[in-house]
Amino acid sequence: MKRVVVTGIGALTAIGNDIPEYLEGLRNGKSGAKPITQFDAERFKTQFACEVTDWDPTDRLDRKEIRRLDRYITMALYAAHEAMQNAGIINEDGTTAFALDPDRAGAIVASGIGGLGTLEKEITDFTNGSGTPRYNPFMIPKMIANMGAGHISMAHNLRGPSYATVSACASGGHALAAAADDIRMDRADLMVTGGSEAVVTKVGVGGFNSMKALSTRNDDFKTASRPYDANRDGFVLGEGAGIIILESLDHALARGATILAEVAGYAASSDAYHISAPHPEGAGAKMAMINALKYAGMNPADIDYINTHGTSTPLGDTAELNAIKLAFGEDVYDLNISSTKSMTGHLLGAAAAIESVACILAIRHNFVPPTINHFTDDPDIDPKLNLTFNKSVEKSVDVALSNTFGFGGHNSATIFKRFNI
């Protein structure tokens, strides 16, 4: 089977609207939480989120086209432009820098929910209107979760495999695994993959509030996302996109691409337990990590850093750490662990994508991003674990693992390593 390497990355997050800004935010432990601006949240239990702000999509996209897109699609296209440019496929103005074989390139881009903002607006407009069923003709193509991948394929003439994976918060990890498989099995030379999510809406916030999933720390929103802290009270909703360009090693070398990292292994599993709660013993999560290591031909001692799912929920954080201990044994005490959701919030279907980008940056720049907002130790968490609290750590990171777990019990684990011929 072919080796799969990373040749481009793009990011759009609450702590940075491109890769350099995202890297700086990760290094500095920046909190992206702020009061919600996309709607009046005064009557909601949670009034803050990790929104993407101060970005102008027309910097990279056509203004007329944007009007026909949901926010999540716009974000996917925006991050994809950076990733394609970063990979040397397009120039800054979008013109072709390297002519791909369109039949050997594709896009598998995840979204856990898709165009929720579009659906909310259309239903609200209909309800508040005359009752005549007049919906925007672009409603369906703006709303459905596959259109991030669809529009990226159309924008860059990618005629290979193109679809979305939808598995809640594990969606981006499954997208990356599917894209890597297409390359490994020689069905494609290059794949655009990752995820995008934009659900900071009344329905999104209200729905998660009704599940008691979100933090309600309105008086201290900057520190509301506090994974592993004894006083964590739920996750902070995030939005944005992460895009990764994968190529076969021979294709990347032939065109002289800069190789950022290698995809070493990945695996998926299910808790088969509950619609939203994690398996208390971490049964499924443990197996995802064990099988990813097996796929990569690695031992637990080979991992330098784990970017955890770490959402800042009371049950989820401890269950994941228990699973990590079961998967890694005594080697767990020799590695760094952190949750970058403490900075970006939880991007749902885009979480695995943007956190995989964080792993790639950790390998490229030899540092471990922190788990910020830690104030009080949780007595249920092993104090010997190195959870990289509050400050990033300079460290040689040769191998990093990214965990993401979703409602429905879906689990994904992906391993990246420093590239060596």
Side-chain angles (χ1 to χ4, degrees), residues 22-97:
Y22 182 47
L23 173 60
E24 182 180 8
L26 291 173
R27 278 193 180 280
N28 295 333
K30 179 180 179 180
S31 171
K34 55 184 75 73
I36 290 170
T37 64
Q38 294 178 57
F39 65 92
D40 183 357
E42 183 178 0
R43 293 181 294 170
F44 287 75
K45 293 178 182 178
T46 297
Q47 299 167 7
F48 59 92
C50 286
E51 287 185 331
V52 173
T53 56
D54 301 323
W55 69 297
D56 183 357
T58 62
D59 289 344
R60 300 175 186 170
L61 308 175
D62 178 72
R63 187 180 303 275
K64 182 178 179 180
E65 179 187 23
I66 293 168
R67 291 199 296 267
R68 298 178 177 179
L69 304 176
D70 184 86
R71 184 176 174 89
Y72 97 92
I73 303 172
T74 302
M75 288 179 163
L77 282 165
Y78 191 87
H81 187 288
E82 181 183 24
M84 295 285 273
Q85 183 184 344
N86 186 246
I89 303 299
I90 62 172
N91 298 308
E92 185 175 357
D93 62 1
T95 56
T96 300

Side-chain angles (χ1 to χ4, degrees), residues 63-414:
R63 187 180 303 275
K64 182 178 179 180
E65 179 187 23
I66 293 168
R67 291 199 296 267
R68 298 178 177 179
L69 304 176
D70 184 86
R71 184 176 174 89
Y72 97 92
I73 303 172
T74 302
M75 288 179 163
L77 282 165
Y78 191 87
H81 187 288
E82 181 183 24
M84 295 285 273
Q85 183 184 344
N86 186 246
I89 303 299
I90 62 172
N91 298 308
E92 185 175 357
D93 62 1
T95 56
T96 300
F98 176 83
L100 294 170
D101 178 348
D103 296 319
R104 298 280 300 172
I108 302 177
V109 179
S111 185
I113 298 179
L116 187 63
T118 292
L119 181 61
E120 176 184 299
K121 180 180 185 303
E122 292 294 327
I123 291 175
T124 301
D125 288 350
F126 170 69
T127 303
N128 294 337
S130 64
T132 302
R134 293 174 180 165
Y135 289 97
N136 189 315
F138 290 100
M139 183 186 87
I140 298 300
K142 288 173 69 173
M143 180 188 74
I144 52 181
N146 66 298
M147 291 304 286
H151 277 281
I152 289 170
S153 294
M154 289 182 278
H156 301 288
N157 191 31
L158 312 177
R159 298 203 299 257
S162 176
Y163 57 91
T165 52
V166 181
S167 44
C169 307
S171 301
H174 292 155
L176 192 147
D181 271 346
D182 276 327
I183 294 171
R184 285 194 195 278
M185 301 302 292
D186 200 26
R187 293 188 289 258
D189 297 322
L190 179 146
M191 294 293 295
V192 181
T193 191
S196 183
E197 203 80 88
V199 296
V200 183
T201 69
K202 294 177 182 178
V203 172
V205 175
F208 283 115
N209 267 158
S210 70
M211 297 180 69
K212 299 182 179 180
L214 297 182
S215 171
T216 57
R217 208 179 295 274
N218 295 310
D219 58 343
D220 192 12
F221 55 85
K222 281 288 185 184
T223 71
S225 182
R226 48 179 75 181
Y228 317 122
D229 189 272
N231 298 313
R232 62 191 182 276
D233 70 329
F235 70 81
V236 175
L237 195 61
E239 65 172 1
I243 298 293
I244 298 170
I245 308 300
L246 301 181
E247 290 186 60
S248 66
L249 175 59
D250 52 357
H251 187 268
L253 292 176
R255 71 179 188 88
T258 298
I259 296 175
L260 307 180
E262 182 170 357
V263 180
Y266 41 84
S269 67
S270 175
D271 282 355
Y273 175 71
H274 190 271
I275 59 170
S276 58
H279 192 287
E281 297 173 4
K286 173 192 70 175
M287 291 312 302
M289 288 180 272
I290 289 172
N291 287 333
L293 285 165
K294 182 178 179 181
Y295 194 123
M298 292 181 173
N299 297 311
D302 294 322
I303 303 296
D304 299 305
Y305 166 52
I306 299 177
N307 186 303
T308 61
H309 188 55
T311 58
S312 184
T313 57
L315 293 178
D317 289 3
T318 51
E320 180 179 9
L321 292 180
N322 288 338
I324 290 172
K325 289 178 68 175
L326 289 171
F328 281 78
E330 289 300 309
D331 291 311
V332 74
Y333 300 113
D334 296 325
L335 54 83
N336 282 78
I337 299 168
S338 75
S339 170
T340 51
K341 287 185 180 70
S342 59
M343 296 176 273
T344 65
H346 189 356
L347 274 68
L348 308 182
I354 204 64
E355 290 157 18
S356 290
V357 172
C359 287
I360 294 162
L361 290 172
I363 291 168
R364 291 290 291 174
H365 297 276
N366 291 307
F367 81 108
V368 175
T371 305
I372 66 169
N373 303 328
H374 180 76
F375 304 99
T376 307
D377 290 343
D378 184 338
D380 293 329
I381 291 176
D382 187 342
K384 294 186 294 181
L385 293 172
N386 186 353
L387 298 173
T388 322
F389 285 133
N390 296 323
K391 291 185 178 180
S392 61
V393 173
E394 298 300 313
K395 174 182 177 177
S396 179
V397 178
D398 292 320
V399 186
L401 182 150
S402 173
N403 279 337
T404 47
F405 313 135
F407 284 179
H410 310 297
N411 304 308
S412 172
T414 309

